[in-house]
Amino acid sequence: MTAVTLIRSDSLFAGAPYAYAATAPAGARLVFLAGACPLDEDGSTAGIGDVSAQAAKCVENLRTALTDAGARLEDVISTRVLVASSDRADLGTAWDVVHAAFGEHEVPSTLLGVTVLGYEGQLVELEAVAAVLD
């Protein structure tokens, strides 16, 4: 059972592939995750030049961080997807990978094109907050 309740809005665009808001009950433990980067275990950047591959690696690393914190993707209450590109197609590619990973758990999300990210060759980063009932 997840602590997260996704809220759709009848007053806003109904076709958005995400909820407009989410809540967690009092007493839920919030887990604030650092941006998941497309790094392999040796610290090298995975998928150089490939937005899709980097987005998938970010999701994989996010899952690992969530597991280590006693949470899972279904416990995520919001995300932020950062893509080092001014090309909307690149943003859409990263979004499609992240959205597919979350499946029907369409959390409130923000998708941003940014100038540069922290690691050499990094194109994608995935931030999240989760809420867990212990």
Side-chain angles (χ1 to χ4, degrees), residues 99-122:
H99 184 255
F102 277 85
E104 292 183 17
H105 187 63
E106 296 178 321
V107 299
S109 298
T110 299
L111 175 63
L112 299 168
V114 299
T115 304
V116 66
L117 291 166
Y119 291 98
E120 186 70 32
Q122 182 182 0

Side-chain angles (χ1 to χ4, degrees), residues 12-80:
L12 298 169
F13 174 60
Y18 49 84
Y20 283 98
T23 62
R29 177 172 54 93
L30 296 179
V31 180
F32 296 87
L33 295 116
C37 299
L39 300 179
D40 287 323
E41 287 184 17
D42 66 2
S44 63
T45 303
I48 296 291
D50 186 337
V51 170
S52 182
Q54 286 200 7
K57 186 63 175 176
C58 289
V59 170
E60 177 185 332
N61 288 343
L62 178 68
R63 283 183 198 267
T64 300
L66 285 164
T67 298
D68 291 347
R72 52 202 174 112
L73 283 182
E74 294 80 9
D75 298 318
V76 170
I77 196 166
S78 69
T79 66
R80 182 176 297 123

